[in-house]
Amino acid sequence: MMRRGAIKTGLVALGLLALSLPLAAMPEAARRHSDTAASALRRGDGLAAEIELKAALKSGAAKADVAAAMGSALLVQGNLGGARQWLAPGQFAKGTEAQGWIALGRLERLQGHLPAAGAAYDKALAVTPDDPQLWVDIGRMRYQGGEHREAMQAADKALSFDPENVRALELKAQLVGESLGYGEAAGYYEAALDNAPGDIGLVAGYAAALGEAGRPREALRAARLLLSQAGGEPRGWFFQAVLAARAGNVELARAMLNRVGERMDAVPAALLLRGAMELESGNANLAAQLLGQTVERTPANPRAQLLFARALLESGDYKALIERFAALAARPDASPYLLTVMARAFEEIGDRLAAGQMLDRAAAVTPSVTMPVFEPGGPGRFAGQWNADQGILGATVPYVRSLIAAGDMAEAVRVANRFLALHPGSGDALGLAGDAQLAAGNAAAALAFYQAAAQVRFPELMLVRIGEASDRIGQGAAMPGLVARYAERFPGSRLALRMAATLAASAGDWQTARLLLENLRLRGGNSDARLLADLSYAQLRSGDAQAALDSATRAWTLQPASPAAAQARGMALVELGQDPALARQLLEQARRSGGDNALLKAARAKLK
């Protein structure tokens, strides 16, 4: 939640740039207007600054005298075209050059022109190398360009010049949240708020960090503080909606979202929550519209994809569902949930053969693939785009994946290493290099890349990859501790809890496994057949056979063809001594579709 909105630079921060007085030859009246404009910029009022600067021009100021300030004022207002007219010529009066180059760098960065932004920041560095705000801007540019390690270095540089700089502390908080967790980030927000308690952006970031850190009461207080400081601030209501949804209070979440209205529809997280709430309320058509917009903006978000698929199914748009998700369902890593949704769509249009094939695949899928998903089509489909620009992540990732799928591990390693050489501090590049090495059988090298990537960005899938690489080189014993630390840092990670439950079950700690899986069930896992089957096993091993039967029956109802669900239900029936004929049928179904195992043999022996 926080990352998408927080890493974007608040334009109002331009007002914090020092507005140096222009040439002494400026007429006194023009100087007064310029000074008033400087004050307006410091409080973030770009419109007032623009008015005063126009008055300064009429009073005799030269265009170069006000160019830096006018460009900054227009940037604060979001008028990027107007700002470019003042900043792009690079004609700034003596004493205003630093402000001008910093503002131009920010303009270029906001428009995605990172090389041009870097050039402008270099000119600013030549004038004011110790400016903390400049280093904050450089850090944001580096992050935007995927240079995560270098972004952290820039934030540290800014803090070395001014340990209490609000914007530097804010940037540090945002970056730390992705690597060390949002609890750690909250500390930096608190330090920044000590110096700027009324800063709306800081309060919003702090509320989001507290929510992600699993501190809902404190997050709620911060959200209410945000509303008290800025009554029309939609993020205050949105954060409360998120907290209510996480607590399972759907009605309260919906009420909070109604207060937000459409004011945050540009934020994918807000669209996603609105779509999920509408889907729960039975408004499938509206949910499909909202979730479709979310998927367009965040195509790599798996939760948004699955919710969108469900919304299309429930709205009766079966053709759109099949067309939109056919390629995703064809992947070997397609989720059982998506395959089940697709099967129902095929059933509705009368294609029972396709529906049966989808259900068979859903039943056979094993959870938690650790390798990157394969791209459909051979490497030739992606080679041209990669050759045209080898430094673009969007061109490199599918090419590497297609090479892995084609079995060309040496070339996959070469391409991934080439991208890493171009972006040595990028968490994405380090992770991709690890994927290529893991696919090539070099687990030790892969682990080193993954661990380096986790130091700058630690998404939950990186945790899975570290676990896979560790297992392959005989270091799996370290995983329980790492998973526990990750779950503590990122309590919102369902995947970390899932891994912790699996590790607990493997160690025979069935009570802990049960508690973790029941937590996941309450957090949206009641439609996950595999999770419910695993919960049934944990409940059975904990001595609660009736709860095990309830969970297994729910899993089997969701996926009757699943061998895991059939085995769980059969074992629970055997333990309770209920319906031996059905138990025998289920155990045989599990054996035929999933293969025999020691648990099945033991359950069958009890029936004789």
Side-chain angles (χ1 to χ4, degrees), residues 555-571:
W556 185 86
T557 302
L558 290 167
Q559 280 189 26
S562 165
Q567 178 171 334
R569 190 181 183 198
M571 288 174 57

Side-chain angles (χ1 to χ4, degrees), residues 5-23:
I7 201 66
K8 251 194 319 189
T9 305
L11 289 173
V12 74
L14 273 165
L16 300 177
L17 295 174
L19 182 61
S20 301
L21 295 178
L23 293 175

Side-chain angles (χ1 to χ4, degrees), residues 365-502:
V365 163
T366 55
S368 299
V369 293
T370 58
M371 289 302 299
V373 295
F374 296 146
E375 295 291 340
R381 178 184 172 192
F382 306 100
Q385 185 180 3
W386 179 75
N387 282 317
D389 196 338
Q390 299 178 7
I392 298 297
L393 183 66
T396 305
V397 170
Y399 187 38
V400 170
R401 288 175 175 172
S402 68
L403 289 166
I404 292 172
D408 192 349
M409 305 307 175
E411 184 64 5
V413 168
R414 187 188 74 82
V415 172
N417 286 346
R418 168 63 178 159
F419 185 73
L420 180 59
L422 294 172
H423 304 281
S426 166
D428 296 323
L430 289 162
L432 187 63
D435 289 343
Q437 292 288 351
L438 191 63
N442 304 321
L447 181 60
F449 282 126
Y450 291 151
Q451 289 172 334
Q455 291 177 7
V456 289
R457 292 184 75 202
F458 205 165
E460 58 183 12
L461 286 179
M462 187 60 66
L463 184 64
V464 181
R465 284 164 163 72
I466 289 174
E468 175 70 15
S470 298
D471 278 341
R472 292 194 188 184
I473 61 174
Q475 296 183 9
M479 283 307 297
L482 177 61
V483 170
R485 290 192 297 274
Y486 189 91
E488 183 179 358
R489 292 178 181 178
F490 301 94
S493 171
R494 297 181 186 182
L495 181 57
L497 289 182
R498 192 78 166 89
M499 293 178 69
T502 300

Side-chain angles (χ1 to χ4, degrees), residues 109-317:
R109 178 170 60 79
L110 290 173
Q111 294 190 321
H113 309 147
L114 299 188
Y121 289 144
D122 284 342
K123 292 179 180 177
L125 282 171
V127 179
T128 177
D130 300 342
D131 185 333
Q133 181 57 47
L134 171 56
W135 280 102
V136 169
D137 274 34
I138 290 171
R140 295 192 182 281
M141 176 192 68
R142 289 174 173 176
Y143 182 91
Q144 189 174 337
E147 298 176 339
H148 305 115
R149 182 183 295 155
E150 292 83 356
M152 185 69 79
Q153 291 169 349
D156 290 338
K157 189 92 169 177
L159 288 171
S160 73
F161 294 129
D162 182 3
E164 297 183 351
N165 184 276
V166 170
R167 299 278 77 88
L169 288 166
E170 180 184 42
L171 176 60
K172 181 76 171 182
Q174 292 161 355
L175 296 174
V176 161
E178 290 197 337
S179 55
L180 299 179
Y182 294 103
E184 189 82 10
Y188 287 99
Y189 278 117
E190 289 164 359
L193 285 167
D194 285 343
N195 298 319
D199 190 297
I200 299 303
L202 286 177
V203 177
Y206 183 46
L210 290 170
E212 294 295 333
R215 295 157 62 179
R217 292 183 180 178
E218 295 171 77
L220 182 59
R221 285 197 294 269
R224 288 172 175 168
L225 175 62
L226 181 62
L227 288 171
S228 70
Q229 292 181 339
E233 174 54 63
R235 286 175 293 183
W237 300 116
F238 173 66
F239 293 146
Q240 293 186 67
V242 171
L243 293 169
R246 287 177 176 171
N249 192 336
V250 176
E251 291 303 318
L252 179 59
R254 188 178 296 109
M256 296 296 103
L257 280 179
N258 287 340
R259 290 178 176 267
V260 175
E262 299 180 355
R263 291 178 291 171
M264 287 188 67
D265 279 1
V267 180
L271 273 177
L272 178 60
L273 183 58
R274 281 189 61 201
M277 291 294 100
E278 295 297 343
L279 193 56
E280 287 298 318
S281 302
N283 303 321
N285 288 319
L286 178 56
Q289 177 184 343
L290 294 168
L291 293 166
Q293 294 176 42
T294 308
V295 168
E296 286 180 8
R297 298 177 189 182
T298 56
N301 185 330
R303 175 167 168 76
Q305 294 274 6
L306 294 179
L307 286 174
F308 183 37
R310 178 184 157 197
L312 290 174
L313 177 69
E314 295 189 9
S315 65
D317 199 347

